[in-house]
Amino acid sequence: PCKKLDSRISCKQRGERMIRLRNPVRDDKAIHRLAIRYLLPHTRTFFPEADLSLRELKDRLKHGITWVYIPKRGGEVRGFCHAFVRGSTLWIDMIALDRSVQGKRKGRALMLLAERYGRMRRCDASSLYVDEQNVRAQRFYRKMGYREKEYDPRLHVYLYEKALAAERFRKQAPA
């Protein structure tokens, strides 16, 4: 079950596994390692000189909201999702999961939290860019309801978009 915290969302899952908001001091080095290992190689396919320093990452994460997935209390971050709102659009800026937790619905849980956050902020759409050769990510986003909107040949990326239905946050009536 997820709960709203100061217009932000945190989610505790079965047992000790949890998704929570990023703690910069505790989490940024692990987030950086995940970004370097799972995101940067796709970018470097067409831009070999691309790099992401820890300082650049911290600056990027200052704008928006970041959730982290931790398999057990006190454990290391195994996944993260960073998003921000511009106008009426939620932008999924980065999402990465360690191979050990891929295919276990953690990416889905992170994306759903981001989309819920977007709805809470009255966004009517969610958008993201995905590298052209990252076929696994494209398949994942299509399963999440995203559709290819356009392709940018200069950057070798697709723009994916999903409508966010207006969702009212109200208590459900007892069954």
Side-chain angles (χ1 to χ4, degrees), residues 37-62:
R37 184 166 186 185
Y38 297 106
L39 300 178
L40 207 51
H42 296 290
T43 303
R44 286 183 174 155
T45 300
F46 296 103
F47 304 99
E49 72 289 347
D51 201 8
L52 179 66
S53 70
L54 181 58
R55 172 176 266 177
E56 289 169 328
L57 176 76
K58 287 176 178 270
D59 287 344
R60 195 164 166 176
L61 296 179
K62 284 180 188 175

Side-chain angles (χ1 to χ4, degrees), residues 7 14 19 45 59-60 65 108 127 147 159 161:
S7 79
R14 295 181 197 141
I19 293 175
T45 300
D59 287 344
R60 195 164 166 176
I65 185 167
R108 177 180 170 77
S127 295
R147 297 294 169 244
L159 172 63
E161 190 174 78

Side-chain angles (χ1 to χ4, degrees), residues 139-161:
R139 185 172 45 247
F140 169 72
Y141 296 132
R142 283 193 300 273
K143 284 182 183 178
M144 292 294 302
Y146 287 78
R147 297 294 169 244
E148 180 185 322
K149 185 174 180 184
E150 62 185 55
Y151 174 72
D152 185 335
R154 295 172 299 118
L155 299 176
H156 302 278
V157 295
Y158 291 99
L159 172 63
Y160 275 60
E161 190 174 78

Side-chain angles (χ1 to χ4, degrees), residues 55-118:
R55 172 176 266 177
E56 289 169 328
L57 176 76
K58 287 176 178 270
D59 287 344
R60 195 164 166 176
L61 296 179
K62 284 180 188 175
H63 307 285
I65 185 167
T66 306
W67 293 273
V68 295
Y69 168 71
I70 301 169
K72 59 184 177 183
R73 185 175 294 279
E76 188 168 307
V77 172
R78 296 287 184 219
F80 76 97
C81 177
H82 176 70
F84 60 87
V85 173
R86 288 291 178 270
S88 62
T89 301
L90 171 74
W91 284 91
I92 306 297
D93 183 36
M94 295 182 284
I95 181 169
L97 294 165
D98 187 82
R99 289 255 187 263
S100 67
V101 297
Q102 289 180 10
K104 297 182 180 175
R105 303 182 68 85
K106 304 311 174 202
R108 177 180 170 77
L110 287 165
M111 289 289 288
L112 290 174
L113 278 171
E115 290 172 5
R116 183 171 181 211
Y117 174 77

